[in-house]
Amino acid sequence: MNTGNVKNIVTIIIVAILSSAITLFGYNTISKNSMQRISNSSATIEQSGYADSFDQDKNVRLASLTTQQGYPDFTEAASKSVNGVVHVKVKSISQQQYMNPFDFFFGFGERNMQPREQIGFGSGVIISKDGYIITNNHVVEGATEVTVSLNDNREITAKVIGTDPQTDIALIKIEGNDFPYLTFGNSDALQVGEWVLAVGNPFNLTSTVTAGIVSAKNRGNIVGGSLGIQSFIQVDAAVNRGNSGGALVNTRGELVGINTAIFSQSGDFNGLAFAVPISIAGKVAADLKQYGAVQRAVLGIQVPNIEAVRQQNPAKATELSQIVGVVVDDFADRSAAKAAGMEKGDIIKAINNVQIKNFAGLQDQLSRYRPGDKVKVTVDRKGKEHSYTVELKNDAGNTEIQRSSDSMNLLGATFNDIPNNRKQQLGIGSGVEVASVDNNGLFRKEGINKGFIIMRVNNTPVNSESDIAKIVSSVSGSRQDKVILIAGFYPNGRTQYIAIDLSQGAK
């Protein structure tokens, strides 16, 4: 064999090896990308359950599209999304204080509250063909009338089904059939750096689409203490006033979050926007539809307040802030975690094998479950791993389902709407009359009797029993003080302010 033939054979062998390697690399890359696409396009078991609550079609999915140049193509996702996102117009009544000038100079009489109508705007996302819509609690809070404008310019009056101040999520409904809607995606599968679209109505401009990337996940402590659950998706898509309640969608047109807040000193977009993951918002919406109140599951643990620790022991606070996981500092009086065998000092590392890095991540995972669900909690105890099966409970320390009607029953009263002509005679802009009172209810206990006119509850005007029920349900589901403040009067009497503690129940 001459030298030329040897060179040819060697060359052929080298080319064959390189071709095989390239083929194998390409196959692995394609397989990995395919598996990633499959993972990203399929919702979790929990999210699929929430989608079932609204009879969503599981076959309605868009492929993740790219242009011929390889850039992401948002046109199909945007086209689908704008039809499922609505403009929400809200009327509410504010109470403006005024004083008669003669009262001011001569020192008699009392201040009165002048009702004044206010109009606000926001966004909402249709999530079912029969007209259920997710929006923000702060968009519809205190609403006396809610109107929804569709992308085809139809205007329909909406009913508030329920609200949840802890997550800033509300569920409203319009009557009709075959509305365009967005299907739930998998917010867990979102990756930092992934493209997303924000769809809403900034500055009262309808059907606006902006694009950005996921900047971070599980962001907490964004809105101060006003929200009980904070585990946000952070994005850099332009979100402004009016976008609240709008959709955050992936490039397949799936709903992965509800736009809720921006970080801004001016009130306009500064590059930081936050959305409630659909893993949380979808569960809240499903609970509000089914029960009228959110079913909140807790472990029954207390965690260290790092800022409080920092004031006493800066070194200890630094140590705590570097821990990956959540430290169990103490237990509630009736603790599901303690009953399962967990101890003080345990560091929670995972819930159902999902890694927990911080308290926001723990809130995110627990918000997916209801009282009575059992979860596997993995902890680090002095360097050794332990696992416990914990049956989650509600704030009351049991596994019972809590419905919105339960708290209303505690009040022990029935109510009558007040006609507009009588409101005018009474000189009020809002009001509900107490029609009857039970002997064992909280109203009787606090001295509220038949004939009392309730103008406001927690400074929100009320005009029907359902208005009162929404406020009572929200307070009952809160982890803060479960107290309502009632402002009202007996005809020809002075205005009274009466606080009722719902946590004590009736005697």
Side-chain angles (χ1 to χ4, degrees):
M1 185 178 292
N2 58 37
T3 304
N5 290 337
V6 172
K7 288 182 178 179
N8 289 336
I9 292 171
V10 172
T11 300
I12 291 171
I13 292 173
I14 292 172
V15 170
I17 293 172
L18 288 173
S19 297
S20 299
I22 292 171
T23 301
L24 182 61
F25 174 78
Y27 175 79
N28 288 337
T29 301
I30 292 171
S31 297
K32 181 178 179 181
N33 290 340
S34 297
M35 291 303 292
Q36 184 65 53
R37 284 195 296 270
I38 292 172
S39 173
N40 285 350
S41 64
S42 58
T44 63
I45 293 175
E46 294 89 357
Q47 288 162 326
S48 295
Y50 311 149
D52 289 343
S53 297
F54 298 96
D55 196 26
Q56 292 188 353
D57 187 346
K58 296 181 178 61
N59 296 317
V60 180
R61 294 288 187 274
L62 293 177
S64 187
L65 303 176
T66 56
T67 64
Q68 291 182 348
Q69 293 77 24
Y71 300 116
D73 183 353
F74 302 136
T75 55
E76 290 295 329
S79 176
K80 176 186 176 184
S81 301
V82 294
N83 291 318
V85 176
V86 299
H87 181 257
V88 180
K89 177 182 176 182
V90 176
K91 291 183 180 180
S92 60
I93 302 295
S94 68
Q95 300 293 327
Q96 186 177 30
Q97 191 178 72
Y98 77 97
M99 174 178 278
N100 186 304
F102 290 100
D103 292 344
F104 177 80
F105 286 111
F106 296 106
F108 55 82
E110 62 178 4
R111 285 184 173 87
N112 295 298
M113 302 301 288
Q114 177 82 7
R116 186 182 66 174
E117 185 176 81
Q118 291 184 325
I119 304 231
F121 302 95
S123 303
V125 186
I126 305 176
I127 57 172
S128 70
K129 61 184 177 182
D130 59 344
Y132 281 97
I133 297 171
I134 295 182
T135 184
N136 283 144
N137 172 68
H138 76 260
V139 170
V140 299
E141 188 173 20
T144 57
E145 181 181 321
V146 179
T147 305
V148 165
S149 299
L150 278 63
N151 196 41
D152 60 9
N153 295 322
R154 281 185 291 168
E155 287 193 2
I156 305 174
T157 299
K159 176 183 178 182
V160 178
I161 302 300
T163 61
D164 181 44
Q166 280 204 51
T167 55
D168 198 20
I169 293 296
L171 183 67
I172 63 178
K173 190 179 188 304
I174 52 178
E175 293 302 320
N177 292 296
D178 295 324
F179 291 110
Y181 66 91
L182 298 188
T183 53
F184 292 172
N186 187 353
S187 52
D188 293 339
L190 283 177
Q191 300 181 55
V192 174
E194 182 176 339
W195 282 102
V196 287
L197 302 179
V199 188
N201 306 281
F203 304 113
N204 209 21
L205 300 171
T206 59
S207 304
T208 299
V209 179
T210 55
I213 62 169
V214 176
S215 304
K217 296 176 65 176
N218 296 134
R219 284 293 197 206
N221 300 321
I222 301 300
V223 198
S226 59
L227 293 182
I229 294 177
Q230 294 191 38
S231 182
F232 294 109
I233 302 167
Q234 180 184 328
V235 299
D236 69 350
V239 173
N240 283 288
R241 289 171 288 179
N243 270 111
S244 291
L248 185 73
V249 302
N250 57 25
T251 54
R252 288 173 298 280
E254 298 167 336
L255 181 64
V256 292
I258 301 297
N259 297 318
T260 296
I262 58 176
F263 187 86
S264 171
Q265 294 179 337
S266 66
D268 298 330
F269 178 66
N270 275 356
L272 296 173
F274 303 92
V276 178
I278 200 62
S279 59
I280 294 176
K283 190 262 184 183
V284 168
D287 280 356
L288 291 174
K289 179 188 177 185
Q290 186 171 355
Y291 307 109
V294 180
Q295 307 306 307
R296 206 150 262 134
V298 297
L299 283 171
I301 64 169
Q302 297 176 13
V303 301
N305 184 327
I306 294 181
E307 293 307 315
V309 173
R310 196 182 307 280
Q311 296 178 5
Q312 303 294 328
N313 189 338
K316 179 66 174 178
T318 300
E319 179 185 338
L320 289 171
S321 65
Q322 293 174 347
I323 292 175
V324 178
V326 175
V327 178
V328 178
D329 193 46
D330 206 344
F331 297 99
D333 291 336
R334 300 175 64 183
S335 170
K338 186 175 183 179
M342 292 173 59
E343 298 178 0
K344 293 182 183 180
D346 285 350
I347 302 174
I348 299 174
K349 307 294 285 187
I351 300 288
N352 281 348
N353 298 320
V354 177
Q355 184 182 9
I356 301 299
K357 295 182 179 180
N358 50 36
F359 186 62
L362 178 63
Q363 286 185 311
D364 183 8
Q365 288 303 309
L366 291 178
S367 66
R368 303 157 189 256
Y369 300 102
R370 291 169 176 159
D373 289 344
K374 294 181 179 180
V375 297
K376 176 186 174 184
V377 182
T378 304
V379 304
D380 180 322
R381 181 180 298 162
K382 299 178 180 179
K384 292 184 178 181
E385 184 179 290
H386 299 267
S387 293
Y388 299 94
T389 299
V390 180
E391 184 180 28
L392 300 173
K393 298 182 179 180
N394 55 35
D395 283 336
N398 58 57
T399 59
E400 296 177 1
I401 293 295
Q402 297 177 323
R403 300 181 184 273
S404 59
S405 58
D406 295 342
S407 297
M408 284 296 288
N409 289 338
L410 288 176
L411 298 182
T414 61
F415 305 90
N416 287 331
D417 293 353
I418 302 176
N420 289 332
N421 59 351
R422 189 176 177 216
K423 287 180 184 176
Q424 186 174 2
Q425 292 171 359
L426 292 169
I428 58 176
S430 62
V432 178
E433 183 178 33
V434 177
S436 66
V437 175
D438 295 338
N439 289 331
N440 296 321
L442 290 174
F443 266 31
R444 178 75 75 186
K445 177 183 175 182
E446 299 299 336
I448 299 177
N449 296 303
K450 179 180 178 180
F452 190 76
I453 306 294
I454 300 174
M455 295 184 294
R456 298 182 304 281
V457 179
N458 285 1
N459 206 33
T460 299
V462 292
N463 289 287
S464 65
E465 181 173 343
S466 63
D467 289 344
I468 297 174
K470 290 168 192 171
I471 299 170
V472 169
S473 176
S474 295
V475 173
S476 297
S478 172
R479 292 183 182 177
Q480 309 299 322
D481 292 337
K482 294 178 172 56
V483 176
I484 58 172
L485 180 63
I486 293 176
F489 62 95
Y490 292 101
N492 301 320
R494 297 172 64 90
T495 299
Q496 301 180 42
Y497 297 89
I498 302 170
I500 295 181
D501 186 354
L502 299 175
S503 66
Q504 294 184 7
K507 298 296 185 179

